[in-house]
């Protein structure tokens, strides 16, 4: 009997999580286009193909949903950085990280634009996460890069600015995709263009550091 109850609870929890992910995915599209103030819950409900009341069942306000979207975006972005460790080969680790950042920019340009919009506005809904988990993670990876430098595996460089440069370059292709397409008639969806962008980043941000 107890096992049946646990099974039902797990199934219910799984369904709730799946539903929330579906709503967050739809909300990301609308928020990235309209921002928090401009987005309407009716539009999000339409994008998710569910009723507005159904959204409020899972998220008690538009702001709560907005924060959930931002937290999801940040979590996905930080996942590749989490994988970087001191025992990796520096070149391999940095290339893998840059590759993953480009993949994210290609797959989720809306996420990158929404995050940039929040940061430009002073990060009122993300500051706690930025000063907490993000700051701690970046400090941890700065220590990893500094360790590689101390071991003479890469040339001396400011680790924090190296991370910032990687962010700036890879996210540029999402945040300024309209400008890039206007100038080049291409985006990361073009395989040759994407490969050239990646190769250039590796040449400038990785190979230039290898001893």
């Amino acid at each position: 009997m107890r096992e049946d109850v646990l099974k039902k609870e797990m199934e219910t929890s799984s369904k709730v999580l799946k539903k929330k992910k579906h709503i967050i995915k739809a909300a990301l599209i609308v928020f990235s286009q309209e921002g928090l103030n401009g987005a309407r819950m009716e539009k999000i409900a339409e994008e998710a193909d569910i009723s507005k009341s159904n959204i409020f069942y899972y998220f008690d306000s538009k702001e709560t949903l907005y924060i959930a979207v931002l937290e999801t975006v940040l979590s996905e972005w930080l996942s590749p950085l989490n994988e970087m460790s001191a025992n990796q080969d520096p070149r391999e680790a940095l290339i893998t990280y840059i590759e993953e950042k480009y993949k994210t920019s290609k797959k989720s340009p809306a996420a990158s634009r929404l995050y940039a919009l929040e940061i430009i506005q002073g990060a009122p809904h993300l500051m706690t996460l930025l000063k907490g988990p993000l700051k701690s993670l970046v400090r941890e990876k700065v220590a990893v890069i500094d360790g590689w430098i101390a071991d003479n595996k890469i040339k001396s460089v400011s680790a924090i600015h190296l991370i910032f440069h990687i962010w700036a370059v890879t996210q540029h292709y999402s945040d300024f995709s309209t400008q890039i397409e206007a100038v080049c008639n291409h985006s990361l969806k073009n395989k040759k263009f994407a490969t050239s962008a990646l190769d250039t980043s590796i040449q400038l941000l990785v190979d230039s550091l290898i001893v």
Side-chain angles (χ1 to χ4, degrees):
M1 184 71 176
R2 177 63 178 168
E3 290 181 357
D4 290 340
V5 172
L6 288 173
K7 185 178 180 181
K8 287 182 179 179
E9 288 178 349
M10 289 177 65
E11 289 176 350
T12 300
S13 177
S14 178
K15 288 180 180 178
V16 169
L17 184 60
K18 186 177 181 180
K19 196 72 172 182
K20 282 187 172 182
K21 284 183 177 180
H22 176 70
I23 294 171
I24 286 172
K25 184 178 180 180
L28 169 59
I29 295 172
V30 178
F31 283 135
S32 69
Q33 295 171 345
E34 311 290 343
L36 172 60
N37 294 329
R40 295 182 300 108
M41 294 299 276
E42 291 85 357
K43 182 72 178 292
I44 295 172
E46 181 183 337
E47 185 69 37
D49 195 25
I50 60 175
S51 66
K52 187 171 74 170
S53 60
N54 204 350
I55 293 180
F56 282 118
Y57 176 81
Y58 295 99
F59 301 94
D60 58 15
S61 69
K62 182 171 72 168
E63 186 172 351
T64 300
L65 175 55
Y66 178 75
I67 293 172
V69 172
L70 288 173
E71 289 177 344
T72 300
V73 168
L74 191 58
S75 176
E76 290 178 353
W77 279 6
L78 295 183
S79 180
L81 187 59
N82 265 311
E83 301 301 317
M84 190 184 295
S85 64
N87 59 1
Q88 288 180 295
D89 172 73
R91 186 176 189 275
E92 182 179 317
L94 290 170
I95 288 177
T96 298
Y97 181 50
I98 291 172
E99 285 176 339
E100 290 303 314
K101 286 291 293 176
Y102 268 114
K103 286 178 184 177
T104 301
S105 290
K106 178 182 177 181
K107 183 181 74 172
S108 307
S112 185
R113 287 193 293 270
L114 178 63
Y115 183 80
L117 181 62
E118 171 69 12
I119 296 299
I120 289 170
Q121 294 174 344
H125 302 90
L126 269 184
M127 191 56 70
T128 300
L129 285 173
L130 297 183
K131 288 186 174 182
L134 177 61
K135 188 174 183 178
S136 297
L137 180 62
V138 170
R139 282 181 172 177
E140 178 186 324
K141 302 313 172 183
V142 163
V144 169
I145 295 171
D146 283 341
W148 290 337
I149 295 170
D151 292 339
N152 202 36
K153 293 181 178 179
I154 63 173
K155 296 176 184 177
S156 180
V157 69
S158 167
I160 186 68
H161 289 297
L162 175 59
I163 292 173
F164 287 162
H165 275 63
I166 292 173
W167 290 355
V169 170
T170 55
Q171 288 167 217
H172 176 87
Y173 288 87
S174 287
D175 301 343
F176 291 86
S177 59
T178 301
Q179 174 179 275
I180 289 171
E181 290 186 37
V183 173
C184 304
N185 294 324
H186 289 306
S187 69
L188 292 181
K189 293 179 181 179
N190 180 284
K191 187 175 181 179
K192 184 177 180 181
F193 183 78
T195 299
S196 178
L198 174 61
D199 289 345
T200 303
S201 295
I202 292 172
Q203 180 183 355
L204 294 175
L205 299 173
V206 181
D207 288 342
S208 63
L209 298 176
I210 302 303
V211 176

